[in-house]
Amino acid sequence: MEKKSLSEQTAERLYTMIAVEKRLAPGEKLPNEIDLSQQLGVSRTTLREAIRTLAAQGLLEIQRGKGTYVSAQVGAMNDFGFSKLDRLRGQLQDLFELRQIFEPSAARLACRRATEEEIAAILMQGAAVERCIRAGQDRTEADRQFHAAIVRATHNEFMMRLLPMISQAVSSAIEAGENGDQLAEDTLRDHALLMDFFQKRDAAGAEHAMAIHMHHSINALHLEKK
């Protein structure tokens, strides 16, 4: 059986505290981040990832500027989506396995075939992703558009038909929230390298940089297949 990440283990511990042990009632505010992370023996980053997971399942509600609360609907819910987590992980593993095979080659072809306008579009979308990350904003759409711009620049009809799956993989990875800080940090570094190679039209460099990016993403999301 695949070992669960620390954030997944923490999410399950929080779930148990709320749904099984009833230590927090519906509508009750969670303890502050410092106290709760110390109580659970994890870092604040791991705690935030666990909270995002539970919020996505509807168990917790994050209210900006106020804190995190147990959902008022907690009593009417069943397993809070935990039965879906393994299925989601399996789907992400398959999607990223596809990306690992497909996207480095797409980057190489795009470098060779892109028009000047398409190179400019790739660089513009890459800059948009960077701005979102540095501003702490949702980068899902910007990231999708960055990878889509690369695929479109291949001028390969069948590669473009794979775009919906690539977009789904990008969205699911970001929305999963697991190791979000590490994923964002890797994205900043990897995209900068990618854009440098695109600007130079270095096809081999772009291919290797995209392969590295896929490797980093798979590691950050714990999606390695045995």
Side-chain angles (χ1 to χ4, degrees):
M1 182 179 292
E2 184 178 337
K3 185 177 179 180
K4 292 181 179 178
S5 69
L6 185 56
S7 65
E8 288 176 316
Q9 295 175 41
T10 304
E12 292 192 356
R13 288 168 67 191
L14 276 173
Y15 163 79
T16 300
M17 287 171 57
I18 295 166
V20 180
E21 299 173 357
K22 310 292 185 185
R23 289 163 63 179
L24 292 164
E28 187 174 347
K29 184 179 180 180
L30 263 62
N32 70 64
E33 193 177 80
I34 296 175
D35 291 343
L36 189 55
S37 62
Q38 289 177 346
Q39 181 182 341
L40 295 171
V42 297
S43 70
R44 294 167 68 182
T45 297
T46 297
L47 176 62
R48 284 194 291 269
E49 290 164 2
I51 287 173
R52 282 196 292 266
T53 296
L54 295 179
Q57 304 306 322
L59 177 64
L60 298 176
E61 296 176 355
I62 301 172
Q63 298 182 19
R64 293 190 180 279
K66 294 183 179 180
T68 302
Y69 295 79
V70 177
S71 170
Q73 307 302 317
V74 68
M77 304 173 81
N78 295 317
D79 67 353
F80 307 100
F82 273 99
S83 62
K84 300 177 184 177
L85 289 180
D86 288 339
R87 186 169 72 249
L88 174 60
R89 176 159 297 279
Q91 289 174 341
L92 273 178
Q93 283 178 322
D94 287 345
L95 283 167
F96 270 83
E97 192 169 67
L98 170 67
R99 293 186 73 188
Q100 196 171 33
I101 295 167
F102 166 72
E103 291 207 59
S105 295
R108 172 173 48 83
L109 289 177
C111 240
R112 290 177 177 173
R113 298 176 178 173
T115 64
E116 290 303 316
E117 291 76 14
E118 286 169 336
I119 290 290
I122 290 169
L123 298 177
M124 180 182 71
Q125 293 300 335
V129 175
E130 181 181 354
R131 284 196 301 273
C132 289
I133 291 174
R134 295 195 184 283
Q137 298 171 344
D138 180 14
R139 70 179 188 279
T140 307
E141 183 58 28
D143 212 342
R144 278 202 303 254
Q145 290 301 325
F146 175 68
H147 288 276
I150 293 171
V151 175
R152 283 194 295 269
T154 67
H155 296 274
N156 182 298
E157 176 186 351
F158 291 96
M159 282 190 167
M160 285 188 278
R161 290 186 185 184
L162 289 174
L163 266 179
M165 284 186 286
I166 300 304
S167 293
Q168 180 185 345
V170 171
S171 300
S172 298
I174 296 173
E175 290 166 6
E178 184 177 330
N179 283 344
D181 291 342
Q182 183 63 54
L183 196 60
E185 181 182 326
D186 288 342
T187 297
L188 275 177
R189 183 179 60 251
D190 295 346
H191 278 200
L193 186 60
L194 263 169
M195 290 192 289
D196 183 51
F197 284 127
F198 272 111
Q199 201 159 27
K200 295 174 180 175
R201 284 192 179 268
D202 183 335
E207 181 176 21
H208 290 307
M210 184 64 84
I212 290 169
H213 181 42
M214 292 299 102
H215 177 71
H216 284 159
S217 298
I218 287 169
N219 282 347
L221 292 164
H222 304 291
L223 296 176
E224 304 90 344
K225 276 195 171 184
K226 304 300 183 184

